[in-house]
Amino acid sequence: MLPSKLYLSKGSILIDATLTEGDNRGRENFTVMHEVFHQVLHKNCFRRDPPDYIHSTTQGALNRKKSLKTSLDFIEYQANACAAAFLMPQNVVRDEFKKRSSDLGSKYPLPCDYMVESIICDMADAFSVSKQAMRYRLNSLKMITFDAPPIQLKISI
């Protein structure tokens, strides 16, 4: 495949076909909604001809710990937050996680161990999002934590 020019009408969203190569419907859904929210929230960024910038997402796009230093960081955070809220509504996700994790205790956030990871996988499938998106959504809702629980050792002498 040789590169060629592709002419699109103004306001079009173009998503690279490699997104669907891995057969990851959840990632595809999140990326599409992320781009839709750019179109809704950030039209002025794409108004010029050529646009102010070409947009692409990276693997760590959902990472909340990244500091928002530039305008681009801020609009990426906004598009991610809106896509997450649209695909994984707060109350529904919380209720569903509480229901599925009731055997693990009721003190939240729960540490992200293998049992919680299993719940995350099931919920990601139920909401048609990636495991990474569900993990970060549950973390942002303070339902899980990525921090390892403290190791408690009892030493008898």
Side-chain angles (χ1 to χ4, degrees):
M1 289 178 41
L2 295 174
S4 61
K5 284 189 175 186
L6 181 62
Y7 296 96
L8 302 170
S9 60
K10 194 171 188 164
S12 295
I13 298 173
L14 178 65
I15 298 176
D16 193 323
T18 58
L19 173 67
T20 58
E21 285 177 356
D23 197 32
N24 187 340
R25 177 65 64 171
R27 181 163 182 223
E28 183 179 341
N29 289 343
F30 191 88
T31 301
V32 167
M33 290 313 301
H34 172 97
E35 297 304 330
V36 166
F37 278 104
H38 271 311
Q39 193 75 342
V40 171
L41 298 172
H42 308 121
K43 278 187 182 180
N44 291 338
C45 294
F46 305 100
R47 192 169 273 183
R48 291 178 29 163
D49 190 24
D52 290 345
Y53 73 95
I54 304 259
H55 169 69
S56 66
T57 57
T58 61
Q59 198 66 0
L62 291 171
N63 190 343
R64 289 185 73 229
K65 294 185 179 185
K66 182 181 180 201
S67 61
L68 305 177
K69 295 179 182 173
T70 67
S71 297
L72 184 57
D73 292 340
F74 186 70
I75 68 170
E76 287 305 310
Y77 172 79
Q78 285 181 325
N80 284 333
C82 289
F86 181 83
L87 293 169
M88 300 169 278
Q90 175 177 311
N91 293 340
V92 179
V93 169
R94 278 193 174 144
D95 291 346
E96 197 59 35
F97 185 74
K98 286 178 182 178
K99 202 182 327 173
R100 292 172 188 240
S101 66
S102 61
D103 295 348
L104 305 177
S106 60
K107 186 171 180 176
Y108 299 101
L110 294 174
C112 197
D113 62 11
Y114 73 95
M115 293 170 70
V116 169
E117 198 60 36
S118 175
I119 295 169
I120 290 169
C121 289
D122 291 343
M123 287 182 64
D125 287 344
F127 284 82
S128 296
V129 296
S130 68
K131 290 181 287 266
Q132 180 186 15
M134 182 56 71
R135 211 175 279 118
Y136 281 111
R137 182 65 170 152
L138 288 167
N139 181 254
S140 71
L141 296 174
K142 298 185 182 359
M143 300 304 288
I144 65 169
T145 181
F146 298 131
D147 301 330
I151 297 172
Q152 297 179 357
L153 297 174
K154 289 187 178 183
I155 301 174
S156 305
I157 299 179

